[in-house]
């Protein structure tokens, strides 16, 4: 069965500090992994994706994520957090072999403290 | 045009009303989706249309009725809703194909309140 876990409901970080939002996944085939961000009362905005290739993926707004196959993780990172990064972050996975639907994690609320 | 447009942005309706949510995209995507999202929860898949045909219905109550009149439009018809149906309804589109590596493009959603 396909699934995604985001172990932290809430992450707080001081402005200017590095941030990490964690995601682990489980798929039977090759994973297609995605990060989306959602601001209040808005839809989900695409940040980045991993399909194949380099394990370090760079995305929008200075975010990056590292694919770790052995740990089945795809953590979202940013070297220096901004107050405007405060939002809800969702990790999602799609099984590249069977083409099953998107599976979303439960979401992590990020608060960047000025 | 790289957007998914949803109208209206906000909707308040009574339990006996009939209303429709609309979604439009002009990216040539041939897969379109309706999701329901409660506050601070992940989106829950309701319906999937692929090439204008309904391909997935996630056991959604019949008071929600989707329609895909053409490759650019997706509607969600609402009738006799319950207060617990109040949520953010998101439309999304993508390139179709089960092995597609592409992600979804989401609209900004319709905030629905049932009174």
């Amino acid at each position: 069965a396909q699934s995604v876990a985001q172990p932290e409901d809430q992450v707080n970080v001081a402005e200017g500090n590095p941030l990490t939002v964690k995601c682990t996944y489980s798929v039977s085939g090759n994973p297609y992994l995605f990060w989306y961000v959602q601001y209040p009362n808005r839809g989900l905005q695409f940040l980045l994706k991993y399909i194949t290739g380099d394990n370090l993926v760079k995305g929008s707004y200075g975010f990056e994520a590292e694919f770790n196959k052995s740990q089945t993780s795809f953590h979202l990172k940013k070297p220096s957090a901004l107050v405007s990064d405060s939002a809800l972050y969702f990790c999602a996975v799609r099984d590249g072999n069977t083409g099953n639907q998107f599976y979303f994690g439960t979401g992590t609320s990020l608060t960047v403290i000025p | 045009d790289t957007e998914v447009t949803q109208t209206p942005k906000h909707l308040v309706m009574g339990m006996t009303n009939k209303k429709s949510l609309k979604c439009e995209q002009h990216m040539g995507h041939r897969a379109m989706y309706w999701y329901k999202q409660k506050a601070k929860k992940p989106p829950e898949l309701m319906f999937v249309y692929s090439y204008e045909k309904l391909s997935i219905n996630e056991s959604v109550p019949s008071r929600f009725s989707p329609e895909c009149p053409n490759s650019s439009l997706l509607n969600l018809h609402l009738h006799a809703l319950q207060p617990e149906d109040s949520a953010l309804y998101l439309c999304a589109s993508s390139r179709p194909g089960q092995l597609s590596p592409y992600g979804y493009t989401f609209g900004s959603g319709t905030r629905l309140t049932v009174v």
Side-chain angles (χ1 to χ4, degrees), chain A residues 36 38 41 43 94 99 101 105, chain B residues 37 42 45 98 102 104 107 111:
Chain A
Y36 285 86
Q38 186 175 33
N41 292 314
R94 201 172 191 179
Q101 63 175 302
Chain B
Q37 187 183 24
L45 183 64
Q98 285 196 332
Y102 299 100
Y104 294 1
R111 173 68 62 189

Side-chain angles (χ1 to χ4, degrees), chain A residues 5-27:
Chain A
Q6 292 181 244
E8 300 158 319
D9 291 336
Q10 176 76 44
V11 169
N12 297 325
V13 63
E15 185 177 22
N17 282 5
L19 70 86
T20 298
V21 183
K22 296 179 180 177
C23 171
T24 59
Y25 66 90
S26 173
V27 297

